[in-house]
Amino acid sequence: MKKLMTLALFAMGFALTANAQEKKTTIEVPQWVKNIKFSGYGMLQYQGQDPEGNHTNTFNLRLARFILDGKIGDFDWRAQIQGTNVKGPGEPTVQLVDLYAEWRKYPEFKIRAGQFKRAFTYENPTHPITQGWYAYADVINNLSGFGDRTGEKSSGGRDIGIQFSGDLFPNANGRRLFHYQVGVYNGEGINQKDQDNRKDIIGGVWVMPIKGLRIGAFGWTGSRGAMLDPLTGTTRSVEKNRYAISAEYDLNEYTFRAEYLHSQGWGAAKAANNVREIDYSRGDKADGWYAFGIVPVIKSKLHAKARYQCYRSMKEWSSAKTMYEVGLNYFFTKNLQVNFEYARVNDRNLAKHDYNFVDLELDFRF
C-alpha cells in the first residue's frame, strides 16, 4: 500500500512539474515584437583615378547599415544605424540615419514623422545598392541634401520633420495613377536641431500613365541657419530655393531615369563636413542633370549600364564637372553582387580637365 501511495505521489508531482514547465514555455509574445525584422547590408569598394598631380587608388569601406523594421497596428516604424568613411578612408563615422514611424491605414493619405529621406527627387530615396552606381549623381549629392552645397553635414538626403503622402485615382486594375508628397523639415540635415526657427517645405507630385513609368516635379523652399557671413562677421540664414523635373521607367529589370535640378541660394566654401561659412565667390545659383540606363544582359544575373551626368556648382560651364560612365553589375544571388564601372571625367574646375576613374564594389545584404 505504501509503495502504491508513494508511486501515486511521485506521479502527481511529476504531472504538476510538467504542467508548470508547460505554462512557462507558452508565454504569449506580443504581436508587435513578432513583427520586428532585422536586416542590413554592407558595401566594399575599390576606387582609382588619375587627375593630374593627384593620382589615387584605394580600398574603402563605403558603408554598413543595420536596420530594424516593425509594425504596431496601423503604424510602420524603422530605426537604421550607419557606419561609413564619410570623411574619407580611415575616418569612420557611425550615426543614426533613420528613426521614424508612419501611419499607413489608407493608401490615399499617410503620415510619417521622425528622421527620414526628404521628399525631393526620384534618386534620393533609392536604395544605395539598387541605385546601381558607385554613388548617387553629383547633382543629387549637392542639391538633394547628401553633401549639400550649403555645407550641411553629409545626411544621405535626410532631415527631421513630418511628411504627408498618398496615391490616388486607381485604374480598373487597381494601379494608382497619381502620387503626392509634402514634408516640413528643420532644414539642417540629420541629427540637427533647427538653427533659425524657419522650416524647409518640400513637395513633389508625379503621374504614372502606364505601368513602370512615372513623370514628376518637385519644389523646395527653406534655409540653413547660423551661417557665418564673412562680409559682416555675423551669422545669418542662407536661402534654399530649388526645383527638380524627373522621369523614370522601371520594369522587368530595365531602368531608365533622368532628372534636372536647379538651386538658388548661396553655398558654403565646401559641400558637406558641417561647414558654416558662406562663399560668395561661387555665386548663388547651381544646377545639374543626369540620365542613365540599366538593362539586363542575362536576366537576374548580369546588367549593363551607362550614365551621363553633369553638375555646375555656379550654373556656368566654367564650373561644370561632367562624367561619362559605363559598367556592369553581376549578381551571384539576389543578396550578393559585384559592380564595376569606368568613367571619363571632364572637370573644368581643374587646370587639366580630363582624367579617368574606375570603381569596383562588392555589395551584400542580410
Side-chain angles (χ1 to χ4, degrees), residues 46-59 89 355-358:
Y46 169 82
Q47 255 183 27
Q49 55 186 339
D50 62 354
E52 188 174 69
N54 189 28
H55 293 205
T56 62
N57 73 89
T58 182
F59 293 105
Y355 63 91
N356 302 294
F357 171 91
V358 293

Side-chain angles (χ1 to χ4, degrees), residues 31-162:
Q31 187 60 43
W32 70 268
V33 175
K34 294 180 181 178
N35 289 334
I36 295 176
K37 177 185 176 184
F38 174 71
S39 62
Y41 56 93
M43 306 181 77
L44 313 177
Q45 185 179 58
Y46 169 82
Q47 255 183 27
Q49 55 186 339
D50 62 354
E52 188 174 69
N54 189 28
H55 293 205
T56 62
N57 73 89
T58 182
F59 293 105
N60 184 37
L61 304 178
R62 180 177 169 187
L63 61 82
R65 286 185 180 167
F66 303 94
I67 308 163
L68 288 176
D69 288 302
K71 186 176 181 63
I72 305 175
D74 296 323
F75 286 83
D76 288 355
W77 61 268
R78 165 170 284 196
Q80 182 173 198
I81 294 175
Q82 172 178 288
T84 179
N85 287 339
V86 67
K87 296 180 181 179
E91 297 184 75
T93 297
V94 177
Q95 58 187 351
L96 179 69
V97 289
D98 282 316
L99 184 63
Y100 65 83
E102 184 171 43
W103 184 67
R104 300 176 58 86
K105 186 173 183 178
Y106 303 106
E108 297 86 358
F109 183 73
K110 293 172 279 191
I111 305 174
R112 178 181 292 188
Q115 181 164 280
F116 50 89
K117 289 280 191 175
R118 289 165 161 128
F120 194 66
T121 76
Y122 288 160
E123 181 142 318
N124 182 358
T126 307
H127 192 290
I129 293 179
T130 56
Q131 187 264 346
W133 299 92
Y134 83 93
Y136 296 90
D138 280 350
V139 66
I140 297 295
N141 284 327
N142 283 277
L143 302 184
S144 192
F146 282 73
D148 202 89
R149 80 184 299 266
T150 59
E152 117 187 349
K153 180 182 177 182
S154 181
S155 300
R158 294 168 171 85
D159 205 343
I160 304 173
I162 186 168

